[in-house]
Amino acid sequence: MSCDLPDEALFILNVLYKGRHFRTDAGYHSEKLYKIYIKKFTGRSCLSIEDTLQILMNDGYVAQIRKKKVKYYIAGMKSAIFALKSHGYNVVDGRYRKL
């Protein structure tokens, strides 16, 4: 593995990437993210979502949008794509249109 991100952080990056949340005005709702995360990582050995998001924010992958309810978006696009690709996630490099 080329980056030191845990599986929980890669999961959150993948959710944000699949939803195309790249702009500062279009983020992913934190409540939806919490529900998806809890379904996937339920054990005590897993990191909490707050810790995982803090890791991603400290490394510059994710940023917050402070509104009534906090939203998250991918801030470092190149580094996020590199991390997802290096761990075997399906990532499209350029702008491809769906048919």
Side-chain angles (χ1 to χ4, degrees):
M1 292 185 196
S2 60
C3 63
D4 57 348
L5 290 176
D7 291 336
E8 295 91 344
L10 292 168
F11 174 75
I12 290 176
L13 272 180
N14 193 33
V15 168
L16 294 175
Y17 181 79
K18 282 183 179 178
R20 302 287 185 208
H21 298 287
F22 309 133
R23 298 182 322 203
T24 59
D25 61 341
Y28 201 83
H29 289 280
S30 58
E31 291 176 0
K32 289 182 183 178
L33 191 60
Y34 290 154
K35 288 179 184 178
I36 293 171
Y37 186 85
I38 289 172
K39 286 181 184 177
K40 179 83 173 176
F41 300 102
T42 57
R44 289 184 182 247
S45 63
C46 300
L47 289 172
S48 69
I49 189 163
E50 291 85 10
D51 293 339
T52 307
L53 286 169
Q54 192 62 44
I55 289 170
L56 289 171
M57 285 189 285
N58 288 345
D59 290 344
Y61 291 104
V62 174
Q64 283 184 347
I65 303 171
R66 296 195 182 265
K67 292 188 176 184
K68 289 182 181 177
K69 296 183 180 182
V70 177
K71 295 181 178 183
Y72 297 97
Y73 70 98
I74 295 178
M77 186 58 137
K78 287 182 181 180
S79 57
I81 287 175
F82 178 75
L84 289 172
K85 263 188 160 181
S86 64
H87 288 277
Y89 285 90
N90 190 14
V91 178
V92 179
D93 282 338
R95 293 184 179 205
Y96 292 105
R97 296 179 188 236
K98 293 181 181 179
L99 297 177

